Amino acid sequence: GAVVSQHPSRVICKSGTSVKIECRSLDFQATTMFWYRQFPKQSLMLMATSNEGSKATYEQGVEKDKFLINHASLTLSTLTVTSAHPEDSSFYICSAREQGFFNSPLHFGNGTRLTVT
Amino acid sequence: KQEVTQIPAALSVPEGENLVLNCSFTDSAIYNLQWFRQDPGKGLTSLLLIQSSQREQTSGRLNASLDKSSGRSTLYIAASQPGDSATYLCAVRGLDGGSQGNLIFGKGTKLSVKP
């Protein structure tokens, strides 16, 4: 089955530093990947839609200059949290749908637990 | 704006029981509905996907139904096992092409199956 690999699974960083999270589709190509954030006891909330070869689309309230998204290839999207603050501590999950299969389910990575101290 | 609600928020049952998890959504104009399982600190595992034209899907001990007109879906788990303990998430995909089909999630039902 389709596999999405997300790395790292857990990261602790100091306030003010930047953190990069990678999301890879291992056995399929994905023109579109989605980045979600989940705070404790809350729903997963879409942050942005990552489009291969073009700019990401951000949801309302998500700062594009703070959460940099790069989707340089059909199998890799990265999310960089710049100048991280403690309030950015959260669980970040990426997902992808196989290119050309509009009806297929989204496949999710295992998530990244970010803790900003 | 689509809203997804899951009831109950938490459920504890003894092993072997059959159980039903409920999901409701406010906008019936959906493309499909997906049930996921999330283990603590982990990502999501897709369990069942129901297209808007379908009524139900089955996989092993799991059966998901969809009543689009009433905005409801249920996930039925037969003969529950301790390994079924996890948070179960319901998510709908809207018809809005502009969102490229992202999912709107409920807050989940945390299931605990006691041996």
Side-chain angles (χ1 to χ4, degrees):
Chain A
V3 176
V4 174
S5 174
Q6 191 172 337
H7 179 80
S9 59
R10 192 177 293 268
V11 59
I12 301 173
C13 70
K14 292 185 177 180
S15 186
T17 61
S18 295
V19 174
K20 180 185 285 189
I21 303 170
E22 292 187 349
C23 180
R24 293 181 185 272
S25 55
L26 295 187
D27 50 2
F28 66 97
Q29 294 184 327
T31 50
T32 303
M33 292 185 178
F34 301 94
W35 287 95
Y36 292 82
R37 179 168 55 183
Q38 185 181 34
F39 292 106
K41 297 185 180 180
Q42 297 298 313
S43 307
L44 275 82
M45 296 297 293
L46 181 69
M47 298 176 65
T49 302
S50 170
N51 304 297
E52 186 268 335
S54 64
K55 291 182 179 180
T57 304
Y58 290 82
E59 296 299 302
Q60 191 173 7
V62 178
E63 300 174 55
K64 63 180 182 180
D65 294 329
K66 181 171 182 63
F67 298 99
L68 301 179
I69 290 174
N70 184 282
H71 194 156
S73 78
L74 287 172
T75 59
L76 174 64
S77 174
T78 61
L79 169 67
T80 301
V81 183
T82 63
S83 187
H85 288 95
E87 57 264 32
D88 298 324
S89 298
S90 186
F91 192 60
Y92 295 84
I93 305 179
C94 71
S95 69
R97 179 176 291 113
E98 189 168 358
Q99 180 185 20
F101 289 84
F102 193 68
N103 284 345
S104 66
L106 282 177
H107 302 284
F108 284 78
N110 280 333
T112 298
R113 172 72 61 190
L114 171 63
T115 303
V116 184
T117 60
Chain B
K1 181 184 174 184
Q2 178 74 270
E3 292 183 5
V4 179
T5 303
Q6 289 186 247
I7 294 173
L11 181 63
S12 181
V13 300
E15 182 177 6
E17 256 195 30
N18 303 326
L19 57 101
V20 174
L21 307 181
N22 297 292
C23 172
S24 61
F25 45 95
T26 55
D27 186 350
S28 61
I30 64 169
Y31 197 82
N32 58 39
L33 182 145
Q34 203 165 347
W35 282 93
F36 296 88
R37 169 187 172 135
Q38 185 177 29
D39 292 285
K42 301 289 186 181
L44 305 180
T45 301
S46 179
L47 298 173
L48 290 164
L49 171 71
I50 311 177
Q51 302 294 347
S52 63
S53 58
Q54 297 175 324
R55 288 279 185 173
E56 65 177 347
Q57 284 286 321
T58 298
S59 175
R61 293 182 294 108
L62 305 180
N63 176 278
S65 69
L66 173 64
D67 184 343
K68 196 176 69 168
S69 60
S70 67
R72 296 174 190 268
S73 175
T74 61
L75 179 66
Y76 176 81
I77 302 177
S80 58
Q81 303 171 356
D84 295 331
S85 299
T87 296
Y88 289 80
L89 297 168
C90 165
V92 298
R93 179 178 169 186
L95 295 176
D96 178 8
S99 68
Q100 299 191 50
N102 98 86
L103 301 181
I104 308 298
F105 284 84
K107 290 185 179 181
T109 293
K110 186 174 183 180
L111 173 65
S112 176
V113 181
K114 308 274 185 209

